Amino acid sequence: MDEYERSEHQSGQDVDAALQELMSVSPNTPPDAAGAHLLQAERVYVRWHRDDYYLDGEFALKSLHSCLSGNYVTFEDSRLAEDQREVMRDLKIFEEAPGSGRMTGIRFQGGGTSESEIWFYDMNQLKLESLDIDYTTYLDTLLATGGVAGWQYLFADLDFRNDAFRGIAKDLGEMLSYFRQVFPDRDYEPLLHRLEARQ
């Protein structure tokens, strides 16, 4: 995977307008709650594991404001098809598991933020997948899953019966079973349904 140069910075006024537009089109987030999804810090890093080490998670979440300001690095994987490489060049990476080869970025279509897409890249699986999720729901689900590896595939058009994804499906099932016990007040049913639909 080859690293590109940092993008050019946009003005603060342009970034603020873009953020307001982006949050206004996230269907699952009330307007008065949109601000809760914007980080005050430049970057948040979390890493954890269960006592038996059989379940763990990790994520480094970057401020979307920083990404829209141009403070991000773009990447390319020459093994991908050309159309996917073009998508990857457009991505503004806002979340990753450092050193894992997995990262998520947002892509804007049509010159504005009203047509945004979330894409997940997994170097190990040689996958670049469009996710059926918006930015605010992504953040909520990232926290709900604790960054367990591969949770993003629950929002991709994939078949977990494929040998390459059986291990991921098993880990996600373990995560959902464990978290439903640890966090009984959180609703994990939608994620469970997505897992079952792909098995």
Side-chain angles (χ1 to χ4, degrees), residues 55-74:
L55 186 64
D56 60 8
E58 179 182 26
F59 63 84
L61 182 62
K62 192 170 186 177
S63 163
L64 186 59
H65 190 286
S66 181
C67 287
L68 293 180
S69 298
N71 185 19
Y72 65 93
V73 178
T74 57

Side-chain angles (χ1 to χ4, degrees), residues 107-119:
R107 184 190 192 209
F108 300 113
Q109 298 277 38
T113 58
S114 59
E115 299 179 39
S116 61
E117 306 167 346
I118 304 294
W119 290 76

Side-chain angles (χ1 to χ4, degrees), residues 161-179:
R161 291 172 295 182
N162 185 308
D163 289 344
F165 293 98
R166 287 181 179 175
I168 292 174
K170 181 181 178 181
D171 291 344
L172 294 177
E174 175 67 18
M175 177 269 292
L176 290 172
S177 176
Y178 179 65
F179 280 3

